[in-house]
Amino acid sequence: MVAVALFVRLEAKPGKEKDVEDFLLSGLPLVMQEPATTAWFGIRLGPTTFGIFDAFPDEAGRQAHLSGKVAAALMAQAGELFSEPPSIQRVDVLAAKLPG
């Protein structure tokens, strides 16, 4: 069951699209270590626009993720990879279908 989520929109700097894609791929092993991160998706929305959608059972899980390694790496590399700061939106999950 998930109740809350994050939607993070990322706009790559010109020429950094592959680096952003690689960053998202490298985040998966880190997120796999977060027991309260129920679902995590690195996504591409367009040629230079990427995103992260992740879901959690409660606010404590979301806060743990925001304090975790992926969030720290995202902020550490933001100036190098992105043309604007990541847009982090806290959202409520109204309905979900998950495996299991």
Side-chain angles (χ1 to χ4, degrees):
M1 180 91 175
V2 294
V4 297
L6 294 168
F7 177 69
V8 182
R9 190 175 182 98
L10 308 166
E11 191 63 40
K13 283 185 175 179
K16 294 290 185 175
E17 298 84 0
K18 176 72 169 115
D19 294 329
V20 173
E21 185 177 317
D22 290 344
F23 171 80
L24 291 173
L25 291 169
S26 73
L28 184 58
L30 298 174
V31 174
M32 295 297 286
Q33 299 173 26
E34 297 179 357
T37 301
T38 304
W40 186 89
F41 301 90
I43 59 176
R44 185 176 211 141
L45 299 164
T48 62
T49 307
F50 296 83
I52 299 169
F53 179 81
D54 36 18
F56 314 92
D58 53 30
E59 185 59 33
R62 181 162 60 186
Q63 280 306 122
H65 177 72
L66 287 170
S67 300
K69 293 178 182 178
V70 174
L74 178 70
M75 293 310 174
Q77 296 184 36
E80 177 186 337
L81 296 178
F82 310 121
S83 61
E84 56 193 56
S87 168
I88 302 172
Q89 297 178 339
R90 295 170 184 254
V91 298
D92 296 326
V93 176
L94 302 179
K97 179 185 182 290
L98 298 170

